[in-house]
Amino acid sequence: MATNDLPRAFSGIQPSGEVHLGNYLGALRNWVSTQETADSIYCIVDLHALSVPREPGEIGRNTLSLAADLLAIGIDPEKSTLFVQSNVREHTELAWHLQCVAAFGELRRMTQFKDKSEDQSFISTALFTYPALQAADIVLYDSDIVPVGDDQRQHIEFTRDIVERFNKRFGDTLVVPQHRIPTAGARIRDLQNPEKKMSKSAESPQGVIFLSDTPAQIEKKMKRAVTDNDGEVRFDPENKPGVSNLLTILATCTDADPAVLAEQYTQYGPLKTDTAAALIAVLEPIWERRAQLDDQTTAEILRVGADKARAVAEPVMERVRDAVQLHR
Ligand code: TRP
């Protein structure tokens, strides 16, 4: 628990590509609202991004641009801590200790590992142990809650399991984060392939809306969004994934209920036009703030954030060293 009695929230995002609507409506919007109810720490997890092959410099450049995106969507450095994972050395040190209590079989069951390693010619051991580093991120800040999208549920459950195991072996040392994934983020699907979730690894960029898209690009992508041919507007994600996805986007942008919204439409065309307009209205203030940010300001915010993060992480890591009792 953080010192000011608010629960501590921690979350992370990889600097591995442009922020898209799935990230924003699925998780990042919740980061912004969580700032009001928790002592929030947000981390750009650059070391996680290195678990698949990268060019030198690629992740560093993406980090600065992602930080600016996060500030633009409303992460407020006065209210929360925004920092870069590799700037706080304790993450990798704690990850090692957690790997030592994590079972091979447990990691092998992780669906994100299975998905990311499928069809890859090179699979790093870091991709395999990735969830232990994620667990370290979380417990290094005595975190109570972890606002993430639904796809991270298994990693949070794994975190709880290995942290409980660590505490059993070495004495009560680390805070076990809450089981409940506190925020119900919307699951946004690919506009061209609505069976799949929206993701930067999509086959075609036409199915993905990026935060940096122009209004004209958004209108075009919405207009071409795949629906179906029964012509009925109904919220039914199982049988009508394309139409339901549009309703989800519109509902999330207007704080409405998708099933109720569906009743107001009889045709796909107006639903698409309204969804594009609602989305553009939500993104406009973000674009404005993003345009005003320069790299120097962003870098300074990250530097201050790393100092604040270290001040929390160092004493927690010291507790772990005391608990493990290696020669000092
Ligand atoms: N694995 C997360 C994702 O793919 C990113 C992440 C890394 C994270 N460390 C974290 C999320 C700690 C929450 C808490 O989205």
Side-chain angles (χ1 to χ4, degrees):
M1 190 76 90
T3 43
N4 52 9
D5 285 347
L6 288 175
R8 165 73 47 70
F10 182 97
S11 198
I13 180 169
Q14 291 196 44
S16 55
E18 272 196 71
V19 175
H20 56 73
L21 198 60
N23 303 131
Y24 179 56
L25 296 182
L28 299 179
R29 236 171 49 127
N30 291 324
W31 289 20
V32 178
S33 54
T34 301
Q35 295 182 114
E36 311 303 328
T37 55
D39 178 358
S40 308
I41 303 185
Y42 297 126
C43 183
I44 298 181
V45 291
D46 53 351
L47 297 173
H48 277 112
L50 286 179
S51 61
V52 299
R54 308 281 181 187
E55 296 302 322
E58 180 189 342
I59 295 302
R61 282 189 299 277
N62 285 353
T63 295
L64 201 60
S65 137
L66 173 58
D69 286 342
L70 293 173
L71 296 169
I73 66 167
I75 300 302
D76 179 349
E78 301 285 318
K79 291 182 188 159
S80 47
T81 300
L82 177 65
F83 78 106
V84 179
Q85 185 185 35
S86 66
N87 293 0
V88 180
R89 305 284 157 114
E90 283 73 11
H91 288 253
T92 46
E93 185 181 353
L94 182 55
W96 182 264
H97 289 283
L98 294 180
Q99 281 180 58
C100 293
V101 295
F104 186 86
E106 218 164 18
L107 285 167
R108 199 169 39 189
R109 283 196 295 276
M110 293 292 134
T111 54
Q112 187 168 309
F113 172 72
K114 287 191 224 167
D115 292 346
K116 285 196 176 185
S117 56
E118 206 174 276
D119 307 325
Q120 297 298 320
S121 56
F122 177 82
I123 301 163
S124 72
T125 47
L127 189 66
F128 187 68
T129 56
Y130 176 118
L133 179 59
Q134 177 164 353
D137 297 342
I138 295 167
V139 296
L140 197 47
Y141 298 91
D142 286 343
S143 310
D144 303 298
I145 53 173
V146 189
V148 282
D150 194 49
D151 62 327
Q152 293 299 310
R153 182 179 298 272
Q154 197 185 25
H155 286 168
I156 309 303
E157 282 170 14
F158 165 81
T159 299
R160 284 174 55 85
D161 289 345
I162 64 168
V163 169
E164 276 170 5
R165 198 173 304 146
F166 183 96
N167 284 345
K168 214 169 262 168
R169 200 168 293 176
F170 296 104
D172 229 346
T173 311
L174 297 167
V175 174
V176 183
Q178 273 174 38
H179 188 231
R180 173 179 65 97
I181 292 185
T183 43
R187 274 181 174 236
I188 306 301
R189 300 175 166 280
D190 188 291
L191 298 176
Q192 289 300 316
N193 248 317
E195 286 77 29
K196 294 190 178 160
K197 71 170 191 178
M198 188 175 284
S199 134
K200 57 182 180 284
S201 48
E203 281 153 44
S204 146
Q206 290 312 311
V208 184
I209 291 179
F210 294 99
L211 222 56
S212 59
D213 279 352
T214 62
Q217 283 171 314
I218 292 176
E219 280 159 4
K220 195 164 144 196
K221 287 178 181 179
M222 283 293 178
K223 200 170 280 171
R224 294 188 180 168
V226 168
T227 49
D228 51 47
N229 42 28
D230 81 7
E232 193 190 335
V233 179
R234 179 160 50 84
F235 187 67
D236 180 354
E238 276 283 296
N239 301 306
K240 296 174 69 71
V243 174
S244 302
N245 190 37
L246 294 174
L247 287 165
T248 300
I249 297 171
L250 179 59
T252 319
C253 290
T254 56
D255 282 321
D257 181 278
V260 174
L261 280 178
E263 292 166 16
Q264 301 168 13
Y265 294 92
T266 51
Q267 286 175 313
Y268 297 158
L271 171 63
K272 289 177 168 183
T273 318
D274 288 1
T275 304
L279 183 55
I280 290 167
V282 166
L283 296 179
E284 249 159 9
I286 298 178
W287 294 328
E288 260 166 49
R289 278 196 295 268
R290 183 69 168 84
Q292 283 162 9
L293 276 164
D294 62 88
D295 284 356
Q296 242 176 333
T297 311
T298 306
E300 178 59 14
I301 289 170
L302 291 178
R303 201 190 57 72
V304 173
D307 288 344
K308 280 162 67 185
R310 254 180 246 115
V312 182
E314 281 168 359
V316 176
M317 191 62 225
E318 198 54 22
R319 283 198 328 250
V320 173
R321 294 183 196 118
D322 284 344
V324 179
Q325 299 176 45
L326 297 176
H327 174 73
R328 293 227 243 177

Short mmCIF file of all heavy atoms in Angstrom, two decimals, residues 10-14 45 48 85 112 116 130 133-134 137-138 146-148 151-152 155-156, ligand 1:
data_model
loop_
_atom_site.label_atom_id
_atom_site.label_comp_id
_atom_site.label_asym_id
_atom_site.label_seq_id
_atom_site.Cartn_x
_atom_site.Cartn_y
_atom_site.Cartn_z
N PHE A 10 -0.05 -0.27 -10.62
CA PHE A 10 1.12 -0.34 -11.50
C PHE A 10 0.70 -0.95 -12.82
O PHE A 10 -0.03 -1.95 -12.86
CB PHE A 10 2.22 -1.21 -10.88
CG PHE A 10 3.47 -1.26 -11.73
CD1 PHE A 10 4.54 -0.43 -11.46
CD2 PHE A 10 3.56 -2.12 -12.82
CE1 PHE A 10 5.68 -0.44 -12.26
CE2 PHE A 10 4.68 -2.13 -13.63
CZ PHE A 10 5.75 -1.30 -13.35
N SER A 11 1.16 -0.37 -13.93
CA SER A 11 0.96 -1.04 -15.20
C SER A 11 2.09 -0.72 -16.15
O SER A 11 2.87 0.21 -15.93
CB SER A 11 -0.39 -0.67 -15.82
OG SER A 11 -0.73 -1.64 -16.80
N GLY A 12 2.19 -1.52 -17.22
CA GLY A 12 3.28 -1.38 -18.17
C GLY A 12 2.82 -1.52 -19.60
O GLY A 12 1.80 -2.16 -19.88
N ILE A 13 3.57 -0.90 -20.49
CA ILE A 13 3.29 -1.03 -21.93
C ILE A 13 4.61 -1.11 -22.68
O ILE A 13 5.58 -0.41 -22.34
CB ILE A 13 2.41 0.15 -22.45
CG1 ILE A 13 2.13 -0.02 -23.95
CG2 ILE A 13 3.06 1.51 -22.15
CD1 ILE A 13 1.07 0.93 -24.49
N GLN A 14 4.66 -1.97 -23.69
CA GLN A 14 5.89 -2.12 -24.47
C GLN A 14 6.03 -1.02 -25.52
O GLN A 14 5.07 -0.70 -26.21
CB GLN A 14 5.85 -3.45 -25.23
CG GLN A 14 5.95 -4.64 -24.35
CD GLN A 14 6.29 -5.89 -25.17
OE1 GLN A 14 7.16 -5.86 -26.03
NE2 GLN A 14 5.60 -6.96 -24.89
N VAL A 45 7.94 -0.57 -20.72
CA VAL A 45 8.74 -1.78 -20.47
C VAL A 45 9.63 -2.10 -21.68
O VAL A 45 9.37 -2.99 -22.47
CB VAL A 45 7.84 -2.98 -20.05
CG1 VAL A 45 7.26 -2.72 -18.66
CG2 VAL A 45 6.71 -3.25 -21.02
N HIS A 48 11.19 -5.70 -21.83
CA HIS A 48 10.27 -6.69 -22.38
C HIS A 48 10.27 -6.64 -23.91
O HIS A 48 10.20 -7.68 -24.58
CB HIS A 48 8.84 -6.46 -21.87
CG HIS A 48 8.58 -7.04 -20.52
ND1 HIS A 48 8.37 -6.27 -19.41
CD2 HIS A 48 8.51 -8.32 -20.10
CE1 HIS A 48 8.17 -7.06 -18.36
NE2 HIS A 48 8.25 -8.31 -18.75
N GLN A 85 11.48 1.28 -17.76
CA GLN A 85 11.90 0.09 -17.01
C GLN A 85 13.42 -0.04 -16.88
O GLN A 85 13.94 -0.27 -15.78
CB GLN A 85 11.32 -1.14 -17.72
CG GLN A 85 11.53 -2.47 -17.05
CD GLN A 85 11.00 -3.58 -17.95
OE1 GLN A 85 11.11 -3.51 -19.18
NE2 GLN A 85 10.41 -4.59 -17.36
N GLN A 112 0.36 -16.11 -23.95
CA GLN A 112 1.05 -15.06 -24.71
C GLN A 112 2.37 -15.60 -25.27
O GLN A 112 2.75 -15.28 -26.40
CB GLN A 112 1.30 -13.82 -23.84
CG GLN A 112 1.87 -12.64 -24.64
CD GLN A 112 1.85 -11.32 -23.88
OE1 GLN A 112 0.84 -10.91 -23.34
NE2 GLN A 112 2.97 -10.64 -23.84
N LYS A 116 3.20 -15.73 -29.20
CA LYS A 116 4.33 -14.96 -29.73
C LYS A 116 5.43 -15.85 -30.29
O LYS A 116 6.25 -15.38 -31.07
CB LYS A 116 4.92 -14.06 -28.63
CG LYS A 116 4.07 -12.84 -28.33
CD LYS A 116 4.89 -11.83 -27.57
CE LYS A 116 4.10 -10.55 -27.33
NZ LYS A 116 4.93 -9.53 -26.70
N TYR A 130 9.66 -13.95 -19.78
CA TYR A 130 8.99 -12.64 -19.79
C TYR A 130 8.02 -12.44 -18.61
O TYR A 130 8.06 -11.40 -17.95
CB TYR A 130 8.28 -12.56 -21.14
CG TYR A 130 7.41 -11.38 -21.47
CD1 TYR A 130 7.73 -10.56 -22.55
CD2 TYR A 130 6.24 -11.11 -20.77
CE1 TYR A 130 6.91 -9.49 -22.90
CE2 TYR A 130 5.43 -10.05 -21.11
CZ TYR A 130 5.76 -9.25 -22.18
OH TYR A 130 4.96 -8.19 -22.51
N LEU A 133 9.70 -11.31 -15.38
CA LEU A 133 10.09 -9.89 -15.38
C LEU A 133 8.85 -9.02 -15.14
O LEU A 133 8.89 -8.03 -14.41
CB LEU A 133 10.78 -9.52 -16.70
CG LEU A 133 11.22 -8.06 -16.86
CD1 LEU A 133 12.20 -7.63 -15.76
CD2 LEU A 133 11.86 -7.82 -18.24
N GLN A 134 7.74 -9.41 -15.74
CA GLN A 134 6.49 -8.66 -15.52
C GLN A 134 6.09 -8.73 -14.04
O GLN A 134 5.67 -7.72 -13.45
CB GLN A 134 5.38 -9.21 -16.41
CG GLN A 134 4.04 -8.52 -16.18
CD GLN A 134 3.03 -8.78 -17.28
OE1 GLN A 134 3.35 -9.37 -18.31
NE2 GLN A 134 1.82 -8.32 -17.07
N ASP A 137 8.22 -6.34 -12.16
CA ASP A 137 7.74 -4.96 -12.36
C ASP A 137 6.67 -4.62 -11.32
O ASP A 137 6.70 -3.56 -10.69
CB ASP A 137 7.06 -4.80 -13.74
CG ASP A 137 7.99 -5.04 -14.91
OD1 ASP A 137 9.22 -5.01 -14.72
OD2 ASP A 137 7.46 -5.28 -16.03
N ILE A 138 5.74 -5.54 -11.19
CA ILE A 138 4.56 -5.29 -10.35
C ILE A 138 4.93 -5.26 -8.86
O ILE A 138 4.61 -4.31 -8.16
CB ILE A 138 3.48 -6.38 -10.62
CG1 ILE A 138 2.98 -6.26 -12.07
CG2 ILE A 138 2.33 -6.28 -9.62
CD1 ILE A 138 2.16 -7.45 -12.56
N VAL A 146 -3.48 -3.83 -10.70
CA VAL A 146 -2.76 -3.81 -11.98
C VAL A 146 -3.77 -3.58 -13.11
O VAL A 146 -4.40 -4.52 -13.59
CB VAL A 146 -2.01 -5.15 -12.21
CG1 VAL A 146 -1.09 -5.04 -13.41
CG2 VAL A 146 -1.23 -5.57 -10.98
N PRO A 147 -3.98 -2.33 -13.50
CA PRO A 147 -4.94 -2.09 -14.59
C PRO A 147 -4.36 -2.54 -15.93
O PRO A 147 -3.44 -1.92 -16.46
CB PRO A 147 -5.18 -0.56 -14.55
CG PRO A 147 -4.08 0.01 -13.75
CD PRO A 147 -3.42 -1.08 -12.97
N VAL A 148 -4.89 -3.62 -16.44
CA VAL A 148 -4.45 -4.17 -17.72
C VAL A 148 -5.65 -4.67 -18.50
O VAL A 148 -6.73 -4.84 -17.94
CB VAL A 148 -3.48 -5.37 -17.55
CG1 VAL A 148 -2.08 -4.92 -17.20
CG2 VAL A 148 -4.01 -6.36 -16.52
N ASP A 151 -6.31 -9.59 -21.78
CA ASP A 151 -5.31 -10.54 -22.28
C ASP A 151 -4.16 -10.78 -21.29
O ASP A 151 -3.38 -11.71 -21.46
CB ASP A 151 -4.73 -10.03 -23.62
CG ASP A 151 -4.02 -8.70 -23.49
OD1 ASP A 151 -4.43 -7.87 -22.65
OD2 ASP A 151 -3.03 -8.48 -24.20
N GLN A 152 -4.07 -9.93 -20.25
CA GLN A 152 -2.98 -10.07 -19.29
C GLN A 152 -3.39 -10.83 -18.02
O GLN A 152 -2.60 -10.96 -17.08
CB GLN A 152 -2.44 -8.69 -18.90
CG GLN A 152 -1.74 -7.98 -20.05
CD GLN A 152 -0.54 -8.78 -20.53
OE1 GLN A 152 0.30 -9.20 -19.75
NE2 GLN A 152 -0.48 -9.00 -21.84
N HIS A 155 -1.06 -13.59 -16.86
CA HIS A 155 0.20 -13.12 -16.29
C HIS A 155 0.02 -12.60 -14.86
O HIS A 155 0.93 -12.73 -14.04
CB HIS A 155 0.81 -12.02 -17.17
CG HIS A 155 1.40 -12.53 -18.44
ND1 HIS A 155 1.78 -11.70 -19.47
CD2 HIS A 155 1.70 -13.79 -18.84
CE1 HIS A 155 2.27 -12.43 -20.46
NE2 HIS A 155 2.23 -13.70 -20.10
N ILE A 156 -1.12 -12.03 -14.58
CA ILE A 156 -1.35 -11.53 -13.22
C ILE A 156 -1.57 -12.71 -12.27
O ILE A 156 -1.07 -12.72 -11.14
CB ILE A 156 -2.59 -10.58 -13.16
CG1 ILE A 156 -2.50 -9.48 -14.22
CG2 ILE A 156 -2.75 -9.97 -11.76
CD1 ILE A 156 -1.29 -8.61 -14.19
N1 TRP B 1 2.93 -7.88 -20.70
C1 TRP B 1 2.24 -6.61 -20.76
C2 TRP B 1 1.57 -6.50 -22.14
O1 TRP B 1 1.95 -7.19 -23.07
C3 TRP B 1 3.17 -5.45 -20.53
C4 TRP B 1 3.70 -5.42 -19.12
C5 TRP B 1 4.99 -5.64 -18.73
C6 TRP B 1 2.96 -5.15 -17.94
N2 TRP B 1 5.10 -5.49 -17.41
C7 TRP B 1 3.91 -5.20 -16.87
C8 TRP B 1 1.62 -4.88 -17.67
C9 TRP B 1 3.50 -5.01 -15.56
C10 TRP B 1 1.23 -4.69 -16.34
C11 TRP B 1 2.15 -4.75 -15.31
O2 TRP B 1 0.68 -5.69 -22.29
#
